[in-house]
Amino acid sequence: MELKFHFFPAAFPDETLHSVLSRYARLCGGPSRKAAFAGNRAALSFTQNVAFPCRLDDLVESLPLGADLSVSEIITRHTVLPYYAPFLSDDQVQHARTSMGGDGAGLMLKLGVNASRIEAASRVRFCPACLDKDVVRVGAAYWHRVHQLPGVLVCPHHGISLRMIDPSWYSRNSWQLNLPDDADVQARSHQVIADPEAFPALHQIALHSMQLLTLPLIPISPSALRACLLERAAELALTRGKSQRLELRRLASHMAGVFSALPAAWEYSVLRESHADLPATWVTKLLRKPRHTHHPLKYLVMATALGIDLARLTRGDEPSAQTLKRPPLIEVGYSQASFPAALSEGLEGLCAAVLKLALAGNAALQISSALGVSRVRVYRAIRSVDGGSQAWREARFLSERLRRREAFEAEYGHMQAHQCRDYMWLYRCDRTWLSSCIDRHAGVHASRANNTGVFALLDEKLADQIRACAQRLRTGTGKPVLISRTRIGRELHALSRFEKQLTKLPLCAAALEQECESVEEFHVRRLQWARAKLVDEQRSVNRSSLYRTACIRP
Ligand SMILES: [Zn+2]
């Protein structure tokens, strides 16, 4: 059926296309796609709340004169393609643009990113503060692109945690054109709960994600990205030698430290998965294999972990890292006394200044920015002194050791030793001190629940959640779904726990046993629902209409 818009609402900054069309539907009288778009086939494609809506040529054709929106403008301003584009190939970006104009055939396959588990773990979200502000400023609540990006759990504008829509409700109502201030959406959303410790990193990731949305659709060279990451990894001693071989254990402990401060759910639960003592496979892939198919969130998490300003690289600069949170310059080295004073004696000017900072344990980057010289000159000055390199290495080690000891002592007060982010490093490089520190604090930790205790607590909490989830599924409106272990596991992000740890979680096992239904029980519920629906719609109730409405075979 031919579709023609008689008017079209002006799109707001950072508004998703789905949101503009939902506002249009609301202005037409309701959230139903059928009513607003007269059953138009193309509208099924461009109104969907997906990362890459398609049939945009058809949409633009149907717009009224003066709507002033081209396919290209829709893609760059109202879809999330710009977020992905820097990490795709030229070919992929071109294909995406053409495909979104057309029927979208093969697009997901071509891009690869949308099929990743990160996307599956992502949720529809909005910021309550943005919502209030938008209503005052532009007179309507709308969905922001940036809040929908994977891994964005905190509003980049307000720094507060976002509200997340219940995915099971949303997937059942994906045909509706809802807006964040709809009563249904408000009732089905909950605030993202994150540790206060996670906020700086989450805010950083949100800001970086937002920066990506403002970039032109130009891919970045994957080798340049890799070089930037590697350079910074080398500065953090996560690589070894000129060939920059990865120090896998050190890298694993560094990443474990980063993830200990991030939430253990949603996208981050996928990214943090790794084998004991080894970094996650995606981490080593980013550092080893320059390719166009890595998900942007992986780069954003890696940049945050290494303290790199990703936006700088995306501007097309030379591969170089800029630290965001540079450690403060150590002015007077505590370790200086342990080095021969003769080392810097008789040196003048720049060389003496470099040596002084080097022997205080500063890294090359800190010295070069403190003195306003290039890093090459810093290295040269240090090498020009006999024994300089060796003394610098030791000074840096002592400086790092002091920093890690202090950080460990601060963290050890409220968490298990092996959960502290510097535990692995200290275990490898400073074991005597680590053992004595743990002995000293043994009293504090003796009363803490052991591993079994942790499981007991988790068991109780998760069992409650299982019962609540089953109850929610059973009483939810709409077509009944099968209440199974898989379904509950997915809803609670606990599927792998159910698969691997159920023997340690007896209450959960019992709750699942009690709550999950057999296929027969499920069919009975479906048929009862179908009967009620048919009666409600005043249609005839017979065997075939019942089974057809219930979508089950007799
Ligand atoms: Zn906000």
Side-chain angles (χ1 to χ4, degrees):
M1 200 186 292
E2 180 81 6
L3 174 71
K4 205 76 195 161
F5 294 89
H6 297 293
F7 68 97
F8 199 69
F12 298 130
D14 198 40
E15 182 171 19
T16 65
L17 177 64
H18 166 77
S19 175
V20 186
L21 292 162
S22 302
R23 285 195 296 114
Y24 170 78
R26 185 187 274 190
L27 293 168
C28 288
S32 152
R33 188 187 312 257
K34 249 191 204 155
F37 299 101
N40 181 275
R41 277 181 63 105
L44 287 179
S45 305
F46 57 69
T47 53
Q48 270 200 53
N49 190 10
V50 290
F52 308 108
C54 51
R55 296 264 186 205
L56 300 183
D57 289 338
D58 290 338
L59 168 65
V60 168
E61 280 282 292
S62 326
L63 291 179
L65 281 173
D68 216 21
L69 262 182
S70 65
V71 170
S72 172
E73 278 166 333
I74 292 176
I75 290 179
T76 49
R77 293 195 209 144
H78 305 293
T79 77
V80 294
L81 185 63
Y83 168 80
Y84 293 91
F87 312 103
L88 298 172
S89 65
D90 271 322
D91 186 37
Q92 283 173 315
V93 173
Q94 280 321 316
H95 180 90
R97 296 181 79 137
T98 324
S99 181
M100 287 164 80
D103 64 1
L107 178 60
M108 302 306 176
L109 207 62
K110 181 92 177 168
L111 298 189
V113 281
N114 206 39
S116 83
R117 286 169 61 221
I118 296 178
E119 298 283 331
S122 197
R123 299 284 173 259
V124 178
R125 293 174 285 242
F126 66 91
C127 164
C130 284
L131 191 155
D132 291 343
K133 204 183 83 186
D134 293 338
V135 170
V136 172
R137 201 170 48 95
V138 296
Y142 66 91
W143 300 106
H144 288 245
R145 280 186 304 171
V146 66
H147 299 149
Q148 317 311 323
L149 297 177
V152 174
L153 304 181
V154 163
C155 177
H157 308 289
H158 297 98
I160 58 168
S161 59
L162 299 177
R163 287 187 74 84
M164 191 178 273
I165 319 295
D166 171 11
S168 55
W169 176 77
Y170 200 86
S171 61
R172 284 202 300 274
N173 294 275
S174 63
W175 296 111
Q176 298 294 313
L177 295 159
N178 291 302
L179 285 161
D181 61 345
D182 285 343
D184 270 352
V185 173
Q186 289 286 329
R188 305 298 180 145
S189 69
H190 63 273
Q191 196 95 21
V192 171
I193 309 281
D195 208 304
E197 213 190 316
F199 271 76
L202 288 177
H203 195 210
Q204 187 76 62
I205 290 170
L207 285 168
H208 277 171
S209 306
M210 188 167 65
Q211 282 172 334
L212 289 177
L213 282 177
T214 61
L215 298 176
L217 302 184
I218 301 171
I220 316 170
S221 141
S223 325
L225 279 168
R226 174 176 171 260
C228 171
L229 295 176
L230 265 184
E231 189 188 16
R232 183 69 188 130
E235 282 172 5
L236 295 172
L238 302 174
T239 65
R240 184 169 11 121
K242 275 223 172 72
S243 60
Q244 297 188 307
R245 281 173 66 91
L246 299 180
E247 289 276 11
L248 288 180
R249 277 164 192 264
R250 213 175 277 185
L251 189 59
S253 107
H254 185 86
M255 293 311 290
V258 172
F259 278 111
S260 73
L262 285 170
W266 312 294
E267 297 87 332
Y268 298 103
S269 69
V270 176
L271 290 178
R272 72 191 300 151
E273 285 169 13
S274 64
H275 293 289
D277 284 357
L278 283 177
T281 325
W282 66 267
V283 172
T284 44
K285 274 191 185 161
L286 281 196
L287 294 167
R288 279 176 179 159
K289 295 184 184 157
R291 268 203 333 222
H292 277 300
T293 48
H294 299 301
H295 194 281
L297 184 59
K298 293 177 179 170
Y299 281 109
L300 295 178
V301 169
M302 203 63 201
T304 306
L306 299 177
I308 298 171
D309 184 358
L310 200 73
R312 186 186 146 121
L313 187 81
T314 51
R315 282 200 300 269
D317 293 359
E318 282 295 293
S320 133
Q322 187 195 6
T323 44
L324 291 175
K325 264 207 278 175
R326 214 166 269 170
L329 191 73
I330 306 164
E331 292 286 355
V332 182
Y334 65 91
S335 57
Q336 232 168 347
S338 55
F339 289 104
L343 207 60
S344 53
E345 254 173 33
L347 291 174
E348 279 185 8
L350 180 68
C351 203
V354 168
L355 233 331
K356 190 173 163 211
L357 291 176
L359 294 184
N362 287 295
L365 189 66
Q366 291 163 277
I367 304 175
S368 73
S369 49
L371 300 176
V373 296
S374 71
R375 256 174 284 171
V376 176
R377 289 192 68 186
V378 170
Y379 291 124
R380 211 177 280 153
I382 294 170
R383 274 203 305 269
S384 71
V385 181
D386 225 10
S389 299
Q390 172 72 16
W392 184 37
R393 204 172 305 127
E394 286 170 25
R396 269 184 310 169
F397 172 79
L398 291 176
S399 154
E400 183 175 9
R401 191 177 69 180
L402 179 73
R403 188 175 58 70
R404 288 187 188 263
R405 280 181 179 181
E406 284 172 352
F408 179 83
E409 279 190 301
E411 278 185 351
Y412 188 40
H414 56 269
M415 57 171 87
Q416 302 273 5
H418 65 271
Q419 286 172 337
C420 297
R421 71 186 77 179
D422 292 300
Y423 176 80
M424 281 307 293
W425 190 93
L426 291 166
Y427 182 80
R428 256 190 340 267
C429 310
D430 198 11
R431 203 173 302 179
T432 321
W433 178 87
L434 183 68
S435 310
S436 70
C437 177
I438 290 173
D439 287 346
R440 269 202 311 281
H441 294 83
V444 183
H445 288 269
S447 58
R448 190 179 282 172
N450 58 15
N451 207 18
T452 331
V454 172
F455 268 108
L457 283 175
L458 174 76
D459 192 17
E460 211 171 298
K461 204 173 112 199
L462 196 55
D464 283 344
Q465 289 175 350
I466 290 170
R467 278 187 288 272
C469 177
Q471 175 71 9
R472 211 165 52 235
L473 289 173
R474 202 167 288 126
T475 54
T477 51
K479 193 185 284 180
V481 291
L482 175 68
I483 301 170
S484 63
R485 179 198 284 205
T486 314
R487 179 78 195 202
I488 295 175
R490 253 192 227 129
E491 301 261 331
L492 299 177
H493 289 287
L495 201 53
S496 64
R497 261 196 215 290
F498 291 172
E499 277 158 11
K500 295 175 198 150
Q501 298 172 336
L502 216 50
T503 48
K504 292 182 193 168
L505 304 166
L507 295 177
C508 287
L512 283 172
E513 181 69 29
Q514 194 187 349
E515 300 293 342
C516 292
E517 60 186 350
S518 67
V519 175
E520 289 74 28
E521 287 168 325
F522 165 61
H523 282 178
V524 169
R525 273 201 313 126
R526 264 270 172 98
L527 287 167
Q528 280 167 347
W529 168 84
R531 175 185 292 276
K533 186 176 160 73
L534 289 170
V535 170
D536 192 40
E537 292 171 359
Q538 296 178 345
R539 285 157 58 195
S540 72
V541 181
N542 53 44
R543 188 183 152 86
S544 83
S545 70
L546 269 177
Y547 278 97
R548 201 171 46 244
T549 312
C551 298
I552 46 180
R553 267 184 225 166

